[in-house]
Amino acid sequence: MSSVSSSSDMDEDWMHMLPLTEIEVVEEEETSSDSAEEVPRSVSKQRRVSFASIRRQRTLGTLSSLRPASEPIAIPEREKVPKQSEEPVSIPVRNWRIAIRKAREFVRNTPDAWQEFGLEKHETEKATRHRYNALRKSWLEDTVLVKMEDEPFDHGAMRECFRLKKLSNFSRSLDWNRASNYVAKRYIEKVERDVYFEDVKLQMDAKLWGEEFNRHDPPKKVDIMQVVILEFKDRPGSPLYHLEHFIEGKYIKYNSNSGFVEDEALRCTPQAFSHFTFERSSHNIIVVDIQGVGDLWTDPQIHTKEGTDYGDGNLGTKGMALYFHSHSCNRICKALNLTAFDLSNSEIANLERAQVIQTSSKTILRGSEEIVIDPRLKNTGDITLFLRQRSESPRNSPRVSESEDVHMMSSSVSPPYSPVNFLDDDPFPPSLRRLRSDSENSSITREAEHEEFARRQVSRPSCVNLEVNFRRMSLIQGQLTGGSILGEVHLEMAKYHENGRFAPQQGLNMLHEEEVDWDSAIFHLEKAAVCGVLEAIVALARMFLQLPHDVLEGAHVENTEENTNRGVDYMRMAAVAGDRGAMIYLANAYHTGSGLGTERDIDWVEATRWYDQAVNQSGEDEEGCYDATMEEPAYLLMAKEAELYREGGHGLEKDPERAAELYNDAAEQAMAAMKGRLASKYFMFAEECWGEMEE
């Protein structure tokens, strides 16, 4: 017994000396090693707690034997087990977790804005949801459960709005009090069903451009609300509705599809976004009609170069012209290295108020103290610098801030950044790469599709000087005219000035010719001509040569030698581009010397060349237009060319044989045109030329 008691006392002393943590570890190891089967976690925890309780009891017994009964017993605190070090979490992941937690708290603590309307009492309906994928250009369908009001709560000029609640497809219960608030919209007047789908396609394409805008790190990120189509197949006629989230806040319209900008709503981000879409899409589209709450927008409009698709609100290049007439580049435009659209001095003066308002807005560029190299500062208009800047990696993007302090000039120069094709293998800097878990792998495909979309875009400047160099670097088969959307925009601006669209009008007074800003109209017509727009080139040629012209009919220039020479230059450009009327003008001018200017002399070689080209011009010019007026029939031009070869002179050798052939061809064409008397005359001239050859 004594030996047993002694052994027991030794074990008890050993128990007191051994730390509790070691006892627990030993217990875990014994449990895991001695057991053939895995011990449940709850059982292992119970054993550890029991073992610790035994030690605490023994400790209390020992302390009670050492202290008087009157003294209180001090119970020792259990030592804290140090937590195992967790794996480091990246800053983006931690920020996302914080944001999600705050969002959940916000949703839980925010009362339902539509609780008073009792939508949960309405009948539950099944609806087919049509969603559009702008990247894949495809539609997806699924079924959702909704509750919608019977009567609209608001309406606009074209659509009326209904309150609606929709259950999430991932919801585990039918708790309508936790369903999301939506707005269902339908057209007041009956429209084709395709209109609903075109509207969704428009907004989702615009949303894609919003995401592309955010990729370039603007001061404020933007988003365009996702919109889908609900089809109620259980209702008569299977009506369609547009569905989008209900957003609370002050609804503001920042610009319109017709160029209108409200002074009170003039902000940098919406205007810069529209400008960004124009350049980033190579002038093919521009997203306007920006409206919404803050930088969450809805119901935009897209203008395309063709003016087709995206509904009746697509004004084509006319809409682009309306936007740029009211746009003044701001700090965000410069941060994204967007080039300024060319405006006349009077137009720039009219936009000074807009510049002041935008300057006073709160969004400021981080790093604005650094000088940004802007291609517009180059007087030479060199496109190579512009393209080199646009090939910079996004890691050189200037930082942005919400500070109101602007530090302008500094000796340091930072590489500019601009929207451009991503040429690098990895367009994102390491600091911006997200750490993906296995659950995020499904989003990799979407991110890859966004990167592929970005790579397909080729930015093109809004400045005419850079556009000209851009065209020179990408000429196709020597084409000098056509293909410039920027030039078409300038042409439309010239026409808007002619129609008085930009003239200050008072009440219902008719527009007077003196109110038209003809200087600005001619300015934009010249910019269009420089960009290679054939219609503008011909109009300027005829204007400077004092000839009737269809574009800017009320515009006149002084009849001077300088203007005449400029007119001949433009006429030659039009002739090279394939304009038949310009060819005939040059042929007659080189033939007679009339309207040739002071820089050129009579040259019958040039005259015969242009006569011959005009005769053979039976197809389309470079812009796809065909001159069907035929004011100068081919047989008349052949007869004039034959006359030059018959006489010779002014650098052209006499050639009776060539003259006889031309007279004979002219006679046959005159005969086909039912000009018998004229045909007989040409046959006689042909015989005379054959006789001159024999002599």
Side-chain angles (χ1 to χ4, degrees):
M1 292 293 294
S2 62
S3 64
V4 174
S5 176
S6 175
S7 176
S8 177
D9 293 338
M10 291 177 61
D11 292 342
E12 195 171 306
D13 294 337
W14 176 81
M15 287 288 187
H16 291 308
M17 297 174 62
L18 193 62
L20 179 61
T21 54
E22 295 184 11
I23 297 175
E24 292 178 350
V25 172
V26 171
E27 174 67 20
E28 289 181 5
E29 293 177 352
E30 291 177 354
T31 302
S32 60
S33 60
D34 297 341
S35 302
E37 298 179 356
E38 183 179 357
V39 180
R41 186 173 182 181
S42 59
V43 176
S44 176
K45 181 178 180 181
Q46 183 178 2
R47 289 182 178 179
R48 292 197 301 270
V49 173
S50 301
F51 200 26
S53 300
I54 294 172
R55 179 187 169 186
R56 291 172 67 86
Q57 292 174 5
R58 292 174 178 173
T59 303
L60 293 177
T62 304
L63 293 175
S64 62
S65 62
L66 297 177
R67 289 180 173 84
S70 60
E71 294 184 9
I73 300 175
I75 302 175
E77 295 182 358
R78 177 180 175 181
E79 297 181 8
K80 295 183 179 180
V81 180
K83 295 183 179 180
Q84 296 181 356
S85 59
E86 299 180 356
E87 295 183 1
V89 179
S90 64
I91 295 178
V93 172
R94 186 171 65 250
N95 291 340
W96 272 111
R97 291 177 179 175
I98 295 174
I100 293 173
R101 184 172 64 253
K102 290 182 177 180
R104 288 175 177 173
E105 293 176 355
F106 176 80
V107 173
R108 184 167 52 251
N109 300 327
T110 302
D112 185 1
W114 287 357
Q115 185 176 4
E116 59 180 301
F117 302 108
L119 287 176
E120 64 278 359
K121 299 179 182 179
H122 287 70
E123 179 185 357
T124 301
E125 297 182 84
K126 284 186 178 181
T128 301
R129 179 172 59 177
H130 301 269
R131 292 178 293 173
Y132 180 72
N133 188 318
L135 289 169
R136 300 179 182 178
K137 307 297 181 184
S138 60
W139 290 88
L140 303 174
E141 293 184 9
D142 61 355
T143 302
V144 295
L145 297 178
V146 300
K147 288 179 179 288
M148 188 173 71
E149 285 184 330
D150 298 327
E151 298 295 331
F153 72 94
D154 199 1
H155 66 86
M158 301 178 64
R159 294 187 295 182
E160 53 188 4
C161 306
F162 299 80
R163 294 186 182 92
L164 181 144
K165 279 185 175 291
K166 183 184 75 69
L167 277 180
S168 171
N169 286 349
F170 300 99
S171 176
R172 299 179 181 178
S173 64
L174 298 179
D175 186 3
W176 287 97
N177 292 322
R178 303 185 63 180
S180 301
N181 295 334
Y182 287 82
V183 176
K185 302 178 181 180
R186 72 177 179 187
Y187 281 96
I188 300 175
E189 301 292 336
K190 187 176 181 180
V191 298
E192 297 292 335
R193 296 176 70 89
D194 290 342
V195 174
Y196 285 89
F197 290 89
E198 283 294 321
D199 290 345
V200 172
K201 182 176 180 294
L202 185 157
Q203 186 150 330
M204 297 311 295
D205 286 344
K207 181 179 179 67
L208 186 61
W209 283 105
E211 295 171 355
E212 178 68 13
F213 178 75
N214 293 339
R215 286 168 60 92
H216 294 84
D217 198 19
K220 288 188 177 181
K221 301 295 190 292
V222 304
D223 191 15
I224 296 176
M225 294 184 61
Q226 183 173 3
V227 61
V228 299
I229 293 176
L230 286 187
E231 181 180 8
F232 291 89
K233 294 184 178 181
D234 295 336
R235 295 186 182 183
S238 300
L240 300 178
Y241 290 81
H242 287 139
L243 183 71
E244 60 186 29
H245 274 282
F246 171 71
I247 52 177
E248 297 184 75
K250 185 178 180 181
Y251 192 90
I252 300 176
K253 192 178 185 70
Y254 298 106
N255 61 38
S256 69
N257 65 334
S258 60
F260 172 78
V261 178
E262 178 64 44
D263 287 347
E264 297 180 357
L266 186 57
R267 290 182 50 224
C268 295
T269 300
Q271 314 307 326
F273 170 71
S274 297
H275 190 178
F276 170 87
T277 59
F278 179 75
E279 286 202 5
R280 191 76 178 97
S281 65
S282 295
H283 308 166
N284 286 298
I285 65 102
I286 186 172
V287 182
V288 295
D289 204 6
I290 307 300
Q291 53 195 308
V293 178
D295 290 314
L296 180 59
W297 304 331
T298 184
D299 290 337
Q301 178 62 54
I302 298 179
H303 299 314
T304 63
K305 64 176 182 179
E306 299 89 357
T308 58
D309 298 330
Y310 301 128
D312 296 335
N314 183 0
L315 304 180
T317 53
K318 293 181 174 64
M320 298 177 183
L322 292 172
Y323 164 78
F324 279 110
H325 181 264
S326 60
H327 174 64
S328 175
C329 278
N330 52 56
R331 298 181 298 275
I332 301 179
C333 295
K334 296 176 182 178
L336 296 174
N337 204 26
L338 304 177
T339 57
F341 187 88
D342 295 273
L343 297 173
S344 66
N345 293 332
S346 60
E347 290 172 323
I348 294 175
N350 292 333
L351 289 177
E352 287 183 355
R353 173 177 171 80
Q355 292 174 347
V356 172
I357 295 176
Q358 291 186 104
T359 303
S360 63
S361 60
K362 295 183 179 180
T363 302
I364 306 296
L365 306 176
R366 280 205 302 267
S368 59
E369 69 276 2
E370 298 178 346
I371 302 174
V372 176
I373 301 175
D374 190 341
R376 289 170 294 168
L377 301 179
K378 292 287 185 179
N379 296 327
T380 58
D382 187 7
I383 192 64
T384 57
L385 174 60
F386 176 83
L387 296 178
R388 183 167 60 252
Q389 291 173 349
R390 291 180 171 252
S391 63
E392 294 289 341
S393 170
R395 59 181 58 91
N396 292 329
S397 173
R399 296 294 181 179
V400 293
S401 172
E402 296 301 321
S403 170
E404 296 188 8
D405 297 328
V406 182
H407 306 284
M408 291 305 297
M409 305 299 285
S410 174
S411 59
S412 61
V413 178
S414 63
Y417 171 71
S418 62
V420 69
N421 272 358
F422 291 117
L423 304 180
D424 300 339
D425 294 335
D426 185 4
F428 293 100
S431 60
L432 296 182
R433 297 191 191 119
R434 290 183 54 198
L435 299 178
R436 298 188 181 92
S437 62
D438 293 338
S439 62
E440 292 178 292
N441 288 336
S442 59
S443 65
I444 296 179
T445 301
R446 178 172 174 81
E447 292 182 7
E449 291 175 345
H450 276 283
E451 292 179 12
E452 179 60 26
F453 172 80
R455 290 190 181 96
R456 290 198 304 266
Q457 310 309 319
V458 179
S459 295
R460 198 162 179 170
S462 305
C463 175
V464 169
N465 288 339
L466 298 178
E467 168 76 0
V468 171
N469 285 340
F470 191 94
R471 289 174 54 80
R472 290 174 181 171
M473 295 175 59
S474 59
L475 285 179
I476 301 176
Q477 298 179 354
Q479 180 175 337
L480 299 177
T481 61
S484 175
I485 304 173
L486 182 64
E488 295 290 343
V489 174
H490 279 284
L491 177 62
E492 295 298 340
M493 290 191 73
K495 293 179 178 179
Y496 273 130
H497 276 289
E498 179 185 17
N499 297 331
R501 176 65 172 78
F502 304 139
Q505 301 185 25
Q506 299 179 357
L508 300 177
N509 295 336
M510 297 297 293
L511 176 69
H512 297 286
E513 186 172 325
E514 58 270 14
E515 295 179 352
V516 177
D517 187 357
W518 291 111
D519 291 337
S520 296
I522 296 175
F523 172 86
H524 288 292
L525 192 64
E526 290 178 334
K527 294 297 181 182
V530 171
C531 291
V533 179
L534 185 57
E535 184 179 0
I537 295 173
V538 174
L540 284 173
R542 302 185 68 85
M543 184 186 304
F544 284 114
L545 292 171
Q546 309 301 316
L547 300 174
H549 45 281
D550 297 331
V551 181
L552 305 188
E553 295 182 12
H556 303 284
V557 296
E558 296 182 6
N559 187 9
T560 62
E561 292 183 355
E562 180 182 359
N563 286 338
T564 300
N565 292 330
R566 292 184 63 185
V568 176
D569 291 339
Y570 280 121
M571 195 66 77
R572 188 177 183 86
M573 291 172 58
V576 172
D579 184 78
R580 187 172 181 272
M583 295 177 184
I584 296 174
Y585 179 89
L586 287 179
N588 290 327
Y590 280 115
H591 182 182
T592 62
S594 176
L596 194 58
T598 59
E599 297 179 353
R600 296 173 176 83
D601 298 324
I602 297 176
D603 188 340
W604 283 7
V605 175
E606 283 291 299
T608 55
R609 181 169 77 90
W610 289 116
Y611 277 134
D612 187 63
Q613 289 194 21
V615 169
N616 297 323
Q617 182 66 19
S618 58
E620 299 176 344
D621 57 31
E622 289 185 352
E623 292 192 350
C625 300
Y626 175 68
D627 183 8
T629 57
M630 296 299 290
E631 296 179 357
E632 295 283 344
Y635 55 82
L636 292 180
L637 301 180
M638 290 179 180
K640 291 182 178 181
E641 185 179 0
E643 180 183 353
L644 297 181
Y645 279 108
R646 184 178 184 181
E647 296 182 7
H650 297 287
L652 180 67
E653 295 183 1
K654 185 176 181 179
D655 189 348
E657 182 179 3
R658 175 60 178 161
E661 293 174 354
L662 289 171
Y663 275 128
N664 191 64
D665 293 341
E668 292 178 355
Q669 290 205 15
M671 185 68 70
M674 307 299 293
K675 302 290 182 179
R677 184 175 300 178
L678 191 59
S680 299
K681 177 181 177 181
Y682 292 155
F683 278 129
M684 181 183 66
F685 287 160
E687 291 296 330
E688 293 177 356
C689 290
W690 291 117
E692 292 176 4
M693 287 182 58
E694 295 177 358
E695 295 177 359

